[in-house]
Amino acid sequence: MVAKPAPAPVAEKPKHKLVRDSFTIPKSEYQLLEALKLRAAALKRPTKKSELLRAGIAALNAMADKALLAALNSVPSLKTGRPKADGGVAKD
């Protein structure tokens, strides 16, 4: 009887450490994320919001400095922090 050779070890993908964060964006830009998700789905590539954001970061990183500055200058700065409650009514 001939012994079978041991199967080659399967190389595991390196696990990336994930970071959880929160940020504020205008509602109109949030709606663009939803529109891009629908567009990707129509292209037979269902996509999560986090994938869209990561793709955008990769695209910005690939830009030349002049193009990056133009992209950054095209978006207005926002006040940081959480928005105040509507109408000043305390929520219980």
Side-chain angles (χ1 to χ4, degrees), residues 35-50:
L36 286 168
K37 282 180 62 175
L38 293 173
R39 188 172 163 190
L43 295 169
K44 307 288 189 254
R45 175 54 168 90
T47 304
K48 298 175 185 174
K49 284 182 278 192
S50 63

Side-chain angles (χ1 to χ4, degrees), residues 4-9:
K4 292 183 182 177

Side-chain angles (χ1 to χ4, degrees), residues 67-85:
L68 175 61
L69 282 174
L72 292 173
N73 288 333
S74 71
V75 294
S77 293
L78 301 175
K79 289 174 59 175
T80 57
R82 295 188 179 271
K84 294 184 180 183

Side-chain angles (χ1 to χ4, degrees), residues 2-41:
V2 177
K4 292 183 182 177
V10 178
E12 292 185 28
K13 290 183 182 178
K15 290 195 174 189
H16 298 282
K17 184 172 182 172
L18 302 178
V19 177
R20 191 150 181 87
D21 199 352
S22 64
F23 54 90
T24 303
I25 63 172
K27 187 173 184 175
S28 61
E29 291 175 13
Y30 188 81
Q31 290 170 334
L32 285 176
L33 281 174
E34 292 301 318
L36 286 168
K37 282 180 62 175
L38 293 173
R39 188 172 163 190

Side-chain angles (χ1 to χ4, degrees), residues 50-68:
S50 63
E51 291 174 308
L52 287 170
L53 294 172
R54 290 171 40 225
I57 290 167
L60 288 170
N61 189 53
M63 289 180 177
D65 289 348
K66 188 174 181 179
L68 175 61

